[in-house]
């Protein structure tokens, strides 16, 4: 029951983030900001997530995961309400930073809490289901946009309500609450040395998520299509992740996750190049986008499974905080690289930029795997 409540909490968060990524991109484009500015705004969200890793663990040690999640949900809802009247780029960046900082509590708290409760023999499958439900609720966010529009206030009111409710789901869970009890800074510093490929996989996922969800709407519009189709493509990206994560989690319980990671990175690279050649007006382009969402998010499922198996207690909490740093770092780099590349060289460089990070991950994971085998 506790695991189900935790997953429900993060599903509300993922729905809201799935909606706010394309909504903010479309609103900023509607207000006349450039792709570079839209990319910078998305990168600020990565900065907020990165900073949260140095603030939220201390809060969890003092008050527990339950109050962390409740406070994060309420704080995120308040920030979303303040976004309704913003039309200044600096204010957009400030609001985006605090939104990421607040809702990261749902993200970090739920994953650390859940990993403490899951048994190792079913960890891959539980994480696969967890990632799949995150993905389908993430997909539901942009799918709602054609029905309610992307201009304020409606999408911001809906997201604020969902984020607040996501935090309040933790109210009856006091019996299962956990407080990390020891100082985690040394562990936080040592995690990348202990699990460098896992951390690189999280960086790649953060890079992809921020670049894809922040700039894919503009990519589709630049290819000659409207905002509604752009929102459906974002939904397809997340829907593909939903379909594939249980399979990836099932495989992770039976095979070496490192080998699966190499294959996923290779397929993701090929798909990024293929999408630039596809006609976005045909159904097969949706299939390519959906497959890309599945293989890229698979890196995150594999990382969570591996971390939960390797670390326990306060070290696991530190590892979860470290994933937020890695995700935030990737989230800063991705749109900061892809946005200017699109402005300078054309929209196709969104896909080229994302392919590059998966090439790096694939090569690094292959070299690490070979070194361990010899």
């Amino acid at each position: 029951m506790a695991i189900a409540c935790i997953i429900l909490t993060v599903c509300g968060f993922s729905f809201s983030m799935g909606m706010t990524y394309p909504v903010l991109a479309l609103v900023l484009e509607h207000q006349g900001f450039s792709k570079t500015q839209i990319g910078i705004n998305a990168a600020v969200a990565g900065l907020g997530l990165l900073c949260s890793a140095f603030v939220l663990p201390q809060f969890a040690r003092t008050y527990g995961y339950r109050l962390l999640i409740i406070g994060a949900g309420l704080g995120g809802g308040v920030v979303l309400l303040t976004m309704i009247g913003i039309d200044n780029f600096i204010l957009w960046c400030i609001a985006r930073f605090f939104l990421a900082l607040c809702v990261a509590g749902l993200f970090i708290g739920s994953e650390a809490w859940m990993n403490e409760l899951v048994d190792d023999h079913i960890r891959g499958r539980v994480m696969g289901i967890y990632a799949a439900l995150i993905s389908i609720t993430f997909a539901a966010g942009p799918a709602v946009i054609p029905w309610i529009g992307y201009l304020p206030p409606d999408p911001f009111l809906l997201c604020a309500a969902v984020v607040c409710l996501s935090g309040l789901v933790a109210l009856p869970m006091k019996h299962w609450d956990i407080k990390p009890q020891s100082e985690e800074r040394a562990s936080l510093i040592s995690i990348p040395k202990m699990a460098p490929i896992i951390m690189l996989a999280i960086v790649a996922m953060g890079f992809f998520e921020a670049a894809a969800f922040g700039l894919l709407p503009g990519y589709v519009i630049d290819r000659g299509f409207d905002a509604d189709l752009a929102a459906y493509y974002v939904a397809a990206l997340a829907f593909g992740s939903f379909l594939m994560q249980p399979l990836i989690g099932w495989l992770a319980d039976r095979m070496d996750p490192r080998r699966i990671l190499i294959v996923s990175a290779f397929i993701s690279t090929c798909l990024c190049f293929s999408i630039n050649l596809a006609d976005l007006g045909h159904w097969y382009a949706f299939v390519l986008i959906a497959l890309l969402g599945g293989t890229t998010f698979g890196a995150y499922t594999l990382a969570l499974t591996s971390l939960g198996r390797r670390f326990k207690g306060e070290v696991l909490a530190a590892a979860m905080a470290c994933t937020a740093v890695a995700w935030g770092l990737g989230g800063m780099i991705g749109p900061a690289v892809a946005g200017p590349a699109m402005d300078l060289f054309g929209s196709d460089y969104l896909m080229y930029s994302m392919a590059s990070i998966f090439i790096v991950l694939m090569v690094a994971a292959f070299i690490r795997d070979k070194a361990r085998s010899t």
Side-chain angles (χ1 to χ4, degrees):
M1 184 180 295
I3 292 172
C5 288
I6 293 169
I7 292 176
L8 182 61
T9 292
V10 83
C11 280
F13 155 74
S14 65
F15 170 84
S16 300
M17 292 302 98
M19 179 178 285
T20 54
Y21 265 116
V23 161
L24 291 174
L26 292 169
V27 168
L28 289 170
E29 186 150 323
H30 178 78
Q31 292 182 354
F33 296 108
S34 68
K35 296 291 190 304
T36 298
Q37 289 174 306
I38 296 172
I40 290 171
N41 185 257
V44 168
L47 177 63
L49 188 58
L50 190 153
C51 292
S52 71
F54 299 96
V55 176
L56 299 181
Q58 178 60 46
F59 188 99
R61 282 195 294 272
T62 305
Y63 301 105
Y65 290 129
R66 175 175 166 270
L67 288 182
L68 172 62
I69 288 172
I70 293 170
L74 295 177
V78 171
V79 175
L80 281 162
L81 292 177
T82 66
M83 289 181 164
I84 292 174
I86 295 177
D87 59 3
N88 177 273
F89 181 69
I90 299 299
L91 293 179
W92 273 121
C93 289
I94 294 172
R96 192 76 180 266
F97 173 84
F98 281 105
L99 176 64
L101 186 65
C102 287
V103 298
L106 298 174
F107 178 68
I108 294 174
S110 65
E111 290 187 351
W113 198 356
M114 183 171 60
N115 250 319
E116 292 279 7
L117 298 174
V118 175
D119 292 330
D120 276 342
H121 70 284
I122 59 168
R123 188 176 300 278
R125 279 162 283 180
V126 171
M127 292 306 163
I129 293 169
Y130 165 78
L133 292 174
I134 289 178
S135 301
I136 194 60
T137 49
F138 201 103
V144 171
I145 295 173
W147 299 93
I148 68 172
Y150 63 86
L151 294 176
D154 291 350
F156 293 91
L157 292 173
L158 176 60
C159 287
V162 172
V163 168
C164 286
L165 290 174
S166 298
L168 294 176
V169 167
L171 272 175
M173 296 174 61
K174 188 173 183 179
H175 176 72
W176 294 283
D177 198 9
I178 295 173
K179 292 182 181 180
Q181 293 298 320
S182 66
E183 178 60 47
E184 297 172 358
R185 289 186 182 178
S187 295
L188 184 64
I189 294 171
S190 65
I191 293 297
K193 297 178 182 178
M194 299 166 66
I197 299 302
I198 294 176
M199 291 299 110
L200 180 58
I202 300 293
V203 170
M205 189 59 231
F207 184 110
F208 172 81
E209 186 209 45
F213 289 108
L215 295 168
L216 186 61
Y219 171 83
V220 175
I221 290 171
D222 286 350
R223 296 277 296 267
F225 300 93
D226 60 20
D228 286 352
L229 187 68
Y232 283 129
Y233 267 108
V234 174
L237 195 68
F239 186 70
S241 177
F242 161 72
L243 292 178
M244 292 185 66
Q245 296 323 297
L247 172 61
I248 292 174
W250 180 82
L251 290 172
D253 282 335
R254 289 161 172 78
M255 300 171 61
D256 187 343
R258 291 173 296 173
R259 305 288 174 84
I260 304 172
L261 181 63
I262 294 169
V263 174
S264 295
F266 174 75
I267 295 173
S268 298
T269 302
C270 294
L271 287 169
C272 286
F273 287 110
S274 299
I275 289 166
N276 273 342
L277 302 175
D279 183 348
L280 298 184
H282 286 268
W283 63 269
Y284 73 86
F286 280 95
V287 175
L288 293 176
I289 289 285
L291 287 172
L292 180 64
T295 56
T296 52
F297 207 82
Y300 187 61
T301 300
L302 295 167
L304 283 182
T305 302
S306 298
L307 288 174
R309 285 175 179 162
R310 291 184 60 178
F311 305 125
K312 304 296 179 185
E314 71 274 3
V315 181
L316 176 61
M320 291 298 103
C322 197
T323 64
V325 174
W327 193 297
L329 182 61
M332 289 175 60
I333 297 171
V337 169
M342 292 172 72
D343 277 336
L344 291 172
F345 306 113
S347 293
D348 285 354
Y349 276 78
L350 171 63
M351 294 299 163
Y352 295 147
S353 299
M354 294 190 300
S356 66
I357 190 64
F358 286 105
I359 291 173
V360 171
L361 174 61
M362 177 178 61
V363 172
F366 181 79
I367 292 173
R368 181 79 170 182
D369 185 60
K370 286 297 181 183
R372 287 193 172 189
S373 300
T374 56

